[in-house]
Amino acid sequence: LVASQAEDLLPRLAVVSRPRTTTMIQFDEHGFRRRVEEALVTLQKVLHSTRRPTFALDVPHSYEDKYLLAEFVTNCGLAAQCTCLEALGVGTQQLATLVEWSASETVTLRLAGRQRCTFLREEEREVESTSKVVKESTIFGKSEQKVVTRVNEWFWKIDVEWELVAYAGTMGGPRQLRLQGRSGSAQLKTTTSATPE
């Protein structure tokens, strides 16, 4: 992927998702600092002894350095987004199309999934018990009995499909680009007549 194309496209990407009920996750600053400090210890083993990575807060710096750090982190984020798009199968031609769309409109990514359950049939079968009941009689001799259980089973066909689509604008429209997608089906057996979820 071309980095200049990605820089034009990615700031304009909007991610549309369905509203979900989620709980608020509290930021654990102490835990974050601890993980960064552990990573710094490992990093110092790899880097030359003249380099000492540390928190930006703890290093003397000028006012302009804050903007340089923000630019560096933003470029890292853009590179990560390009890597994600490339992993999703977005090629150079598709990226060029997205960049072209982003010149005039927002480009939206949408992940859509569908699941369909279809009732196939109901079957009844008999299952013999593994144990036997043996009765002995002086007149009739031995007799054996087995317990037989009737089991009802319901069979369903589950069809699942998903696709990742990029489109110009925020409401969909004629200009859409399918980036990835799959579909599949499986047969499911249940012991109740309720539709599986």
Side-chain angles (χ1 to χ4, degrees), residues 2 13-14 56 61 73 77 111 116 118 129 146 155 157 172 185-186:
V2 179
L13 285 176
H61 56 274
V73 171
L111 176 64
R116 186 174 51 247
T118 308
S129 173
K146 285 187 174 182
F155 291 84
K157 181 181 179 190
S185 64

Side-chain angles (χ1 to χ4, degrees), residues 85-102:
L85 289 173
E86 187 176 12
L88 290 171
V90 177
T92 306
Q93 186 176 5
Q94 290 174 316
L95 184 62
T97 301
L98 297 178
V99 169
E100 179 186 321
W101 291 352
S102 70

Side-chain angles (χ1 to χ4, degrees), residues 157-190:
K157 181 181 179 190
I158 308 291
D159 296 303
V160 178
E161 61 183 283
W162 64 268
E163 67 179 352
L164 181 64
V165 177
Y167 56 89
T170 57
M171 303 299 288
R175 296 194 302 174
Q176 294 190 1
L177 182 61
R178 186 172 189 258
L179 303 176
Q180 252 327 331
R182 291 240 169 104
S183 63
S185 64
Q187 190 170 330
L188 184 67
K189 176 174 64 172
T190 63

Side-chain angles (χ1 to χ4, degrees), residues 119 122 152-154 156 190-196:
F119 175 72
E122 178 183 359
N152 289 332
E153 296 172 329
W154 287 263
W156 311 85
T190 63
T191 56
T192 65
S193 61
T195 304

Side-chain angles (χ1 to χ4, degrees), residues 10-190:
L10 292 174
R12 296 184 184 128
L13 285 176
V15 177
V16 175
S17 62
R18 295 183 181 159
R20 293 184 258 180
T21 56
T22 58
T23 57
M24 182 89 167
I25 298 173
Q26 297 295 323
F27 178 68
D28 179 15
E29 183 178 355
H30 176 70
F32 174 75
R33 282 188 168 270
R34 182 181 46 77
R35 289 191 304 272
V36 169
E37 287 168 0
E38 290 171 0
L40 288 175
V41 169
T42 305
L43 189 60
Q44 286 175 352
K45 293 176 185 175
V46 175
L47 292 177
H48 190 267
S49 62
T50 59
R51 296 187 181 185
R52 299 272 183 235
T54 185
F55 288 101
L57 178 68
D58 300 334
V59 176
H61 56 274
S62 68
Y63 188 74
E64 184 180 329
D65 291 338
K66 294 177 183 181
Y67 292 103
L68 292 174
L69 179 62
E71 182 182 0
F72 174 74
V73 171
T74 301
N75 287 337
C76 288
L78 289 171
Q81 291 295 323
C82 285
T83 302
C84 289
L85 289 173
E86 187 176 12
L88 290 171
V90 177
T92 306
Q93 186 176 5
Q94 290 174 316
L95 184 62
T97 301
L98 297 178
V99 169
E100 179 186 321
W101 291 352
S102 70
S104 61
E105 296 183 73
T106 299
V107 176
T108 305
L109 295 177
R110 181 186 71 210
L111 176 64
R114 289 175 281 290
Q115 178 177 325
R116 186 174 51 247
C117 181
T118 308
F119 175 72
L120 296 175
R121 66 187 180 282
E122 178 183 359
E123 289 183 4
E124 184 178 295
R125 63 185 175 96
E126 295 182 349
V127 178
E128 291 185 6
S129 173
T130 56
S131 61
K132 299 178 187 178
V133 177
V134 179
K135 292 185 181 180
E136 289 191 32
S137 171
T138 54
I139 301 173
F140 299 110
K142 286 185 183 180
S143 67
E144 294 181 2
Q145 292 181 338
K146 285 187 174 182
V147 176
V148 176
T149 306
R150 287 192 178 141
V151 177
N152 289 332
E153 296 172 329
W154 287 263
F155 291 84
W156 311 85
K157 181 181 179 190
I158 308 291
D159 296 303
V160 178
E161 61 183 283
W162 64 268
E163 67 179 352
L164 181 64
V165 177
Y167 56 89
T170 57
M171 303 299 288
R175 296 194 302 174
Q176 294 190 1
L177 182 61
R178 186 172 189 258
L179 303 176
Q180 252 327 331
R182 291 240 169 104
S183 63
S185 64
Q187 190 170 330
L188 184 67
K189 176 174 64 172
T190 63

